Amino acid sequence: MWVKILENVNMATGALFSNKLRSLLTMLGITIGVASVVLLMSVGQALEDFVLGEFSSFGSDLVFVFGRADNSAGDTLNAENDFEIFTPMNEEQLRALQDSLNVPDASVVAADLAVGDPIEYDGDEYDSQVVGVTPNYIEAYNFTIGIGESLNWDHQDTSARVAVIGTDVVEEVFDGQYPIGEAIRIGGVNFEVIGVWGEIDSFTNPTINDIVVLPLSTVQRRLIGEREPNGEYPVTSITVKARNSVVVQNVVDQVRTTLRDVNDLDADEADDFVVFSQNQFLDTLDTITSLLTVFLATIAGISLVVGGIGVMNIMLVTVTERTREIGVRKAMGAQRMDILTQFLVESVTMAVIGGAIGTVIAVILSIAATLSISGLSITVSVFSILLATLISTIVGVVFGVYPAIRASSMQPIDALRHE
């Protein structure tokens, strides 16, 4: 059996080389299709790894807590729109979550409060992300201080007018000059710059280096000034860091139990807050990026269909051109299966060679892309190569089977009479 297959492969190779240009043009569709599928799958996987890695750099042990989604603001803005926002949380809820008896598996409980005011310096205004945070916010997100000092609990307890700024703020506001000790104005209040964040390389949040953080209590009392109906100061969200990634779900459950108790919810009442872990977010993101990769590969696969039609077309032409050869072979005792196998192997050989060339092109392009795009590592996996080989073989079989059947169905007399 293997001897016959090798003979057919040799015959197929000879037939391809006897019409080099035609064979090359026919294989071009398969080559482009396979190269597109392999390359897009590799790029999709690389993007997936990169994006997940960026989010994972903050740790897979974070739990995020927000207030409930509220439609009431939408009624004020536009009654016809379903405009949802998260209502603020408050310090009572924060204190409850900071109690180690309530959330024993938490190592850090940090909070933040967004500020909409711009930065004023030397008579000019600059739009940046201004956020009030608790001092352990840095620990929760694994941030570092580049120069100067960080916020501390004394700043928080005294509502100090101090600020830590990002590297982009240094460039934009201070023209790259040493900013420590300089005063900036936010919401009519002067703040002394005491530190600069270490530069954070984040594809997922390219504006993160444009952040200015202030003590949470300072923002609540000096900038916002408003309290919730229960008399507590608001916070935008709360971040809880678990002791390790194993107990993240325990933290989620403990946070839900604590907040339901603080909010005095009955057993049949739904949560009036939102709690989700970074693992849940990463799982959702992984699903989205995987679907995107499959979608891109499917789109690229359309070119394979076009290439396969080209293979079928050329094989039909080949069968017509070699009608007398088929008649001679049948007259000499060749069986129908022998003829079918001969042309089917020729079709598959053409497709596999085209697929191999496409795989090589994909590898070269992936290396070039990796060298030219910083931080993105695109590699063609063994799975992609095996998949390319399988796809090429399937294309050769599917689009070669009809010409092969047509060749094998010829009657010897009719084939020998063919001019």
Side-chain angles (χ1 to χ4, degrees):
M1 176 182 176
W2 289 107
V3 174
K4 284 188 176 182
I5 293 177
L6 289 176
E7 288 179 356
N8 286 321
V9 171
N10 288 331
M11 291 176 62
T13 305
L16 294 178
F17 277 99
S18 65
N19 295 282
K20 297 184 183 64
L21 182 59
R22 187 172 72 181
S23 300
L24 181 62
L25 293 176
T26 303
M27 290 187 295
L28 188 60
I30 303 296
T31 299
I32 294 174
V34 169
S36 300
V37 171
V38 173
L39 186 61
L40 286 178
M41 285 187 63
S42 300
V43 170
Q45 185 61 52
L47 286 174
E48 179 180 346
D49 294 340
F50 181 74
V51 173
L52 292 178
E54 286 291 312
F55 280 103
S56 297
S57 64
F58 295 122
S60 58
D61 48 7
L62 297 181
V63 174
F64 307 99
V65 189
F66 293 89
R68 69 179 182 275
D70 185 17
N71 293 330
S72 61
D75 296 333
T76 302
L77 296 175
N78 188 340
E80 295 180 358
N81 293 334
D82 185 19
F83 183 79
E84 291 190 349
I85 62 171
F86 286 116
T87 58
M89 304 192 71
N90 59 61
E91 284 197 313
E92 180 187 11
Q93 297 166 321
L94 175 60
R95 289 192 299 270
L97 296 179
Q98 288 174 331
D99 189 338
S100 59
L101 295 178
N102 293 330
V103 192
D105 287 318
S107 63
V108 177
V109 179
D112 62 83
L113 178 59
V115 180
D117 298 314
I119 299 174
E120 298 178 42
Y121 178 75
D122 197 23
D124 295 321
E125 289 189 356
Y126 304 89
D127 290 325
S128 297
Q129 299 180 71
V130 181
V131 184
V133 301
T134 51
N136 54 3
Y137 186 86
I138 296 175
E139 181 183 355
Y141 286 93
N142 299 325
F143 291 160
T144 59
I145 296 296
I147 58 175
E149 62 177 296
S150 179
L151 301 180
N152 57 48
W153 288 105
D154 184 54
H155 297 143
Q156 171 72 9
D157 294 338
T158 60
S159 300
R161 292 180 295 176
V162 294
V164 178
I165 63 178
T167 53
D168 287 354
V169 180
V170 176
E171 293 297 328
E172 183 179 7
V173 178
F174 298 101
D175 293 326
Q177 301 300 312
Y178 189 73
I180 305 301
E182 295 290 333
I184 57 177
R185 193 172 181 83
I186 301 173
V189 179
N190 289 331
F191 290 86
E192 178 188 356
V193 177
I194 62 172
V196 178
W197 295 106
E199 185 166 3
I200 305 168
D201 184 15
S202 178
F203 172 80
T204 56
N205 187 1
T207 63
I208 196 168
N209 292 304
D210 192 38
I211 192 172
V212 175
V213 296
L214 315 172
L216 176 63
S217 61
T218 307
V219 171
Q220 291 171 328
R221 292 160 175 79
R222 296 181 184 270
L223 295 184
I224 303 298
E226 298 179 356
R227 297 175 184 249
E228 293 297 291
N230 61 359
E232 297 287 347
Y233 283 107
V235 295
T236 300
S237 67
I238 300 172
T239 303
V240 183
K241 186 171 187 176
R243 289 187 291 105
N244 54 61
S245 58
V246 177
V247 297
V248 169
Q249 187 56 48
N250 291 348
V251 170
V252 171
D253 295 337
Q254 292 162 8
V255 167
R256 288 190 69 251
T257 300
T258 300
L259 290 181
R260 288 186 63 85
D261 183 58
V262 171
N263 297 352
D264 196 25
L265 297 177
D266 294 331
D268 59 344
E269 290 184 280
D271 294 343
D272 57 359
F273 52 86
V274 178
V275 182
F276 65 93
S277 68
Q278 184 146 338
N279 283 336
Q280 291 173 302
F281 179 75
L282 290 176
D283 288 342
T284 302
L285 188 62
D286 181 47
T287 301
I288 293 173
T289 52
S290 296
L291 289 175
L292 179 61
T293 300
V294 173
F295 175 74
L296 291 174
T298 302
I299 295 299
I302 295 176
S303 60
L304 280 173
V305 176
V306 177
I309 293 173
V311 170
M312 178 184 288
N313 181 52
I314 290 301
M315 290 306 300
L316 287 172
V317 172
T318 300
V319 169
T320 302
E321 291 177 344
R322 295 161 62 183
T323 301
R324 288 182 64 84
E325 175 191 330
I326 296 170
V328 170
R329 289 201 63 195
K330 282 201 167 187
M332 294 177 63
Q335 300 298 312
R336 179 173 180 174
M337 184 58 67
D338 296 328
I339 303 298
L340 188 146
T341 303
Q342 174 190 346
F343 284 91
L344 193 58
V345 168
E346 186 170 326
S347 172
V348 171
T349 301
M350 185 183 301
V352 169
I353 293 175
I357 297 173
T359 302
V360 172
I361 292 174
V363 171
I364 294 173
L365 291 177
S366 66
I367 294 174
T370 300
L371 294 175
S372 60
I373 303 176
S374 176
L376 191 64
S377 178
I378 304 175
T379 57
V380 177
S381 64
V382 175
F383 171 77
S384 296
I385 295 175
L386 294 177
L387 181 62
T389 303
L390 178 62
I391 290 174
S392 301
T393 303
I394 292 175
V395 168
V397 171
V398 170
F399 290 94
V401 67
Y402 173 69
I405 291 175
R406 183 172 175 177
S408 63
S409 301
M410 289 185 180
Q411 296 300 320
I413 298 298
D414 295 332
L416 289 171
R417 287 176 178 173
H418 182 79
E419 292 294 336

